[in-house]
Amino acid sequence: MTARPGLRRSSRILLLDPEGRVFLMDTKAPSSTGEHRWITPGGGVDPGEDHHAAAVRELREETGIVVEDAGPSVWTWDFEVTWDRADHDRGHAEFYVVRTPGFALSDAGWTDDERVDILDSRWWTADELDRTDEPFEPAELPDLVRRFAP
């Protein structure tokens, strides 16, 4: 089985702390191989919603952090999806930067799927991302952290 044709629009948040670390979540990929990868908080843009509104909503749902304004989109990523259980074969993500002094992760807004798919979470430095053998997305993430970290 291969991913079904279609484009998924999403919003992702580079959640940065004062030490210049980015908060990532280890999630299961939509793959029969059991793959996982570290990704930023974020998710799909709902019908009638723009990327900015989706970023604010997804940040609240996935972390419990409430912001009214995620600022402007700072980077876009267009990519092909090759996982065999994905419901789309192409993606377009808009990235936003939100800074926080730290927080207690809340799963109160997680969907049932997120409760299964989110395996772990932690803060990463750009150098740690450069050195790790763990998969993460996008590949440009260390450069983005360096570009936007304090």
Side-chain angles (χ1 to χ4, degrees):
M1 177 162 78
T2 59
R4 293 187 298 214
L7 174 70
R8 180 176 189 248
R9 297 181 329 132
S10 62
S11 294
R12 311 238 44 109
I13 299 92
L14 294 167
L15 187 59
L16 301 170
D17 74 2
E19 287 79 43
R21 300 177 303 172
V22 65
F23 182 78
L24 300 179
M25 302 173 115
D26 187 14
T27 64
K28 291 181 183 176
S31 172
S32 61
T33 65
E35 291 178 68
H36 70 100
R37 77 280 196 221
W38 290 90
I39 59 175
T40 62
V45 177
D46 288 342
E49 189 176 48
D50 64 20
H51 279 279
H52 183 269
V56 169
R57 176 183 52 76
E58 287 286 345
L59 182 63
R60 182 188 71 249
E61 290 175 359
E62 292 193 354
T63 68
I65 296 174
V66 177
V67 298
E68 290 185 29
D69 185 6
S73 171
V74 298
W75 190 70
T76 59
W77 181 38
D78 292 296
F79 54 96
E80 291 185 26
V81 175
T82 58
W83 298 307
D84 61 351
R85 291 186 177 162
D87 62 359
H88 56 288
D89 65 353
R90 294 171 290 122
H92 172 82
E94 299 276 338
F95 281 73
Y96 296 81
V97 172
V98 173
R99 299 178 196 288
T100 181
F103 70 102
L105 180 65
S106 171
D107 63 1
W110 290 8
T111 65
D112 289 342
D113 286 343
E114 287 168 333
R115 292 185 187 286
V116 172
D117 292 343
I118 297 173
L119 306 172
D120 198 4
S121 62
R122 64 168 275 211
W123 293 95
W124 292 79
T125 66
D127 289 345
E128 288 171 331
L129 288 168
D130 281 336
R131 290 190 305 263
T132 190
D133 291 331
E134 292 285 321
F136 61 85
E137 294 176 357
E140 297 85 354
L141 193 54
D143 294 333
L144 291 169
V145 172
R146 286 184 181 96
R147 180 175 165 196
F148 295 107

